[in-house]
Amino acid sequence: MAQFRIATFNLENFDETGPGVRPSLQERVALMRPQILRLRADVAFFQEVNGQERPGRPRALLALAELLQGTNLEGAQLVSTRPQDDAVYNERNLVIATHLPVLAVEQLSNDLVARLMYRRL
């Protein structure tokens, strides 16, 4: 039986930062990339990954791609939560990164249970 490693990592609102805002994306990458290297995951699940915008292009996971540079997940296929268009959400995306083949993707959003309702008690 083949073995592979699965890991999960909460990146806590992982995003680019404005000038002078600390910690900067580069500081966060410098801190977190060694953790990603140590995981040696074949499949990694990331939470709270924000999407970045570039003029004329759909919002994408550019900060996450920067984090994964120089790791075994560099260039991996990224499967994430998505709104109706082909972009990613602005904030708090769930992302799977892997070099293994992804045969199918399905996103469930209140398809199996009723939408939560807030009721004041």
Side-chain angles (χ1 to χ4, degrees), residues 100-121:
L100 298 170
V102 175
L103 302 179
V105 175
E106 182 177 2
Q107 179 172 301
L108 302 175
S109 178
N110 294 314
D111 294 336
L112 303 177
V113 297
R115 202 175 262 287
L116 294 176
M117 292 179 38
Y118 174 78
R119 287 184 272 171
R120 186 173 279 218
L121 299 176

Side-chain angles (χ1 to χ4, degrees), residues 20-66:
V21 176
R22 297 204 55 215
S24 68
L25 177 60
Q26 291 72 27
E27 290 171 320
R28 292 185 76 185
V29 165
L31 180 70
M32 289 189 277
R33 187 176 287 145
Q35 310 308 317
I36 304 300
L37 284 165
R38 275 193 278 281
L39 290 173
R40 298 184 333 269
D42 298 299
V43 180
F45 299 87
F46 296 100
Q47 302 93 40
E48 296 194 47
V49 181
N50 292 357
Q52 292 73 46
E53 296 177 355
R54 297 293 184 266
R57 303 193 68 195
R59 187 179 294 120
L61 302 168
L62 304 175
L64 179 61
E66 183 175 336

Side-chain angles (χ1 to χ4, degrees), residues 1 13 16 20 22 39 46 67 82-83 88 93 96 101 110 113-115 120:
M1 177 188 309
N13 302 314
E16 296 173 330
R22 297 204 55 215
L39 290 173
F46 296 100
L67 172 64
R82 294 188 176 275
V88 296
N93 288 283
I96 298 170
N110 294 314
V113 297
R115 202 175 262 287
R120 186 173 279 218

